[in-house]
Amino acid sequence: MPVKETAIDTHSDAINEKVIYQNPLLFLKIWEIADQQTSILEKHPWHYHKEVEFLAVMEGHLGIQSKRDYVVLGPGDVMVLGASQPHRSHKPLTEALHYVVFQIDLVKHFDQSTMPYLYCFSELTLPLDELNYIFEVNEPAKREAYAFIMEIFKESQTRSRGYEIAISSTIKRLLLLLLRSDSRNVLNYTEETELNRLRPVLDYINSHLNDKLCVEDACHLLNLSYHYFIKYFKKTMGVSFVDYVNYKRIKRSELLLLTTELSIMDVSFEVGISNMAQFYKLFKRHNQCSPREFKQRMRSESKVTMEAMQPITDSPT
């Protein structure tokens, strides 16, 4: 059970830490830390990163200070730190300490089927730190979250065939666990009626991605004023209308790059972005690489997978 105290540091000089993803297509980093040396909290700098961070302690005790609390986690404990939330950690006791750090850009793991739940994890009103109450009051949920993190860690280490699928599915199971265990509605889940109201707009976007899409056209579909619509859309979807349209366009461009021989310019036009500089800018923002690098990387990953499968394919039946 984590031990809490009130945080008193100002964290005003926090370092903006850049996370280097182990697999750029999974947008995450997960690793184990084995710490033998006891340390003083004040000697560790505050830092933050745009990725959400999960911590899972396997052995020993880990001290974590966030904006609100100082918490000591023990074996089996789990903690989540929201995106861009300043924090620091240390080893408070002399015993051996082993724990897993899991950093992830959650937004990248929402696809067309799960996009309606993006707003729940977008931290528009509260950081995901607020969900830590789940692990304090719901022991089964904590054990399950711990198991999911360990499963993701194991898959990332073994990198067996299909490990990307295994990791992606486990991430979704972890999000589902948080959503269904949130008895205090920190995630601000709204009923499907809100999404159904937006359905004509979402369908319109899907069918007109290669056209010029204007907020005004969406407003007319729902007979809402401009200002009310943009607020309602962001509250319901967790992202602005423009960001949602750009997200859908980039996702379609990824599909076209992987399944067709269209040039990058043609792909840009197919998804409704006529300005190549703008297309490159948006694509790099979503994938941390250019469209050409994305295509080469995916083909390289596919080649490695196919080579790994070859002994199985050629083996006698």
Side-chain angles (χ1 to χ4, degrees):
M1 187 73 178
V3 179
K4 284 189 173 185
E5 295 178 10
T6 302
I8 57 175
D9 207 292
T10 62
H11 56 77
S12 57
D13 297 323
I15 299 168
N16 186 354
E17 180 183 275
K18 181 175 176 58
V19 175
I20 306 300
Y21 302 133
Q22 292 157 328
N23 182 326
L25 301 178
L26 288 173
F27 302 95
L28 61 82
K29 179 180 180 182
I30 184 167
W31 74 104
E32 178 186 355
I33 293 179
D35 199 344
Q36 303 295 330
Q37 189 68 40
T38 305
S39 59
I40 300 173
L41 179 64
E42 287 70 21
K43 290 187 176 181
H44 293 265
W46 287 93
H47 65 279
Y48 64 95
H49 34 74
K50 67 182 182 63
E51 291 77 12
V52 172
E53 179 169 307
F54 292 89
L55 298 165
V57 178
M58 296 180 284
E59 178 186 15
H61 289 82
L62 174 68
I64 303 288
Q65 189 174 26
S66 63
K67 288 194 301 184
R68 296 181 56 207
D69 302 303
Y70 172 75
V71 180
V72 177
L73 304 178
D77 281 338
V78 174
M79 185 176 188
V80 59
L81 295 159
S84 299
Q85 295 299 306
H87 58 280
R88 59 182 177 176
S89 62
H90 76 127
K91 181 176 178 290
L93 303 175
T94 57
E95 62 194 349
L97 171 62
H98 287 84
Y99 63 101
V100 167
V101 182
F102 174 34
Q103 298 169 335
I104 177 172
D105 187 345
L106 282 181
V107 174
K108 299 300 192 298
H109 287 268
F110 286 86
D111 52 29
Q112 186 165 333
S113 65
T114 55
M115 195 70 179
Y117 295 94
L118 173 60
Y119 73 94
C120 293
F121 296 90
S122 61
E123 303 185 83
L124 290 175
T125 57
L126 292 170
L128 290 182
D129 303 43
E130 299 287 337
L131 290 177
N132 285 310
Y133 83 88
I134 294 174
F135 308 131
E136 297 170 14
V137 303
N138 189 333
E139 186 68 25
K142 183 178 76 171
R143 288 198 300 269
E144 196 168 357
Y146 180 91
F148 286 152
I149 294 170
M150 290 301 135
E151 187 175 335
I152 293 168
F153 176 63
K154 178 183 176 182
E155 289 289 348
S156 72
Q157 295 298 299
T158 59
R159 296 174 72 92
S160 301
R161 184 173 58 185
Y163 79 95
E164 302 95 335
I165 298 174
I167 288 176
S168 295
S169 64
T170 305
I171 289 168
K172 286 184 171 60
R173 290 161 67 197
L174 176 58
L175 296 180
L176 178 61
L177 173 68
L178 295 175
L179 187 69
R180 290 184 171 175
S181 303
D182 180 21
S183 58
R184 299 178 187 174
N185 201 26
V186 169
L187 294 174
N188 197 26
Y189 174 71
T190 55
E191 295 301 323
E192 195 171 345
T193 52
E194 299 292 327
L195 296 171
N196 286 338
R197 190 181 183 189
L198 279 180
R199 185 59 55 192
V201 172
L202 302 182
D203 291 342
Y204 175 75
I205 292 171
N206 284 335
S207 58
H208 292 82
L209 276 181
N210 58 338
D211 300 326
K212 182 178 180 181
L213 289 166
C214 300
V215 179
E216 289 77 8
D217 294 334
C219 295
H220 291 321
L221 284 173
L222 300 185
N223 196 27
L224 298 175
S225 70
Y226 176 88
H227 293 292
Y228 182 84
F229 173 79
I230 58 176
K231 289 181 180 178
Y232 180 75
F233 190 97
K234 186 164 187 176
K235 178 184 176 183
T236 304
M237 298 301 295
V239 292
S240 69
F241 176 83
V242 172
D243 286 343
Y244 179 81
V245 170
N246 287 335
Y247 172 86
K248 299 291 287 186
R249 282 176 165 157
I250 294 304
K251 284 301 176 185
R252 180 170 292 183
S253 73
E254 293 170 2
L255 182 63
L256 291 172
L257 285 168
L258 297 177
T259 59
T260 73
E261 294 301 322
L262 291 173
S263 68
I264 294 174
M265 180 179 290
D266 289 338
V267 168
S268 177
F269 287 138
E270 281 290 320
V271 298
I273 305 176
S274 57
N275 185 315
M276 283 295 292
Q278 177 70 4
F279 177 62
Y280 270 84
K281 181 180 178 181
L282 287 173
F283 196 95
K284 195 161 187 177
R285 182 188 302 168
H286 282 266
N287 290 290
Q288 283 73 56
C289 66
S290 70
R292 190 178 307 280
E293 290 169 337
F294 176 83
K295 190 168 187 174
Q296 291 172 345
R297 182 185 297 159
M298 290 300 292
R299 286 185 171 179
S300 175
E301 290 274 340
S302 176
K303 184 179 179 181
V304 170
T305 301
M306 291 302 293
E307 288 175 350
M309 293 173 63
Q310 199 64 40
I312 298 175
T313 304
D314 294 342
S315 60
T317 56

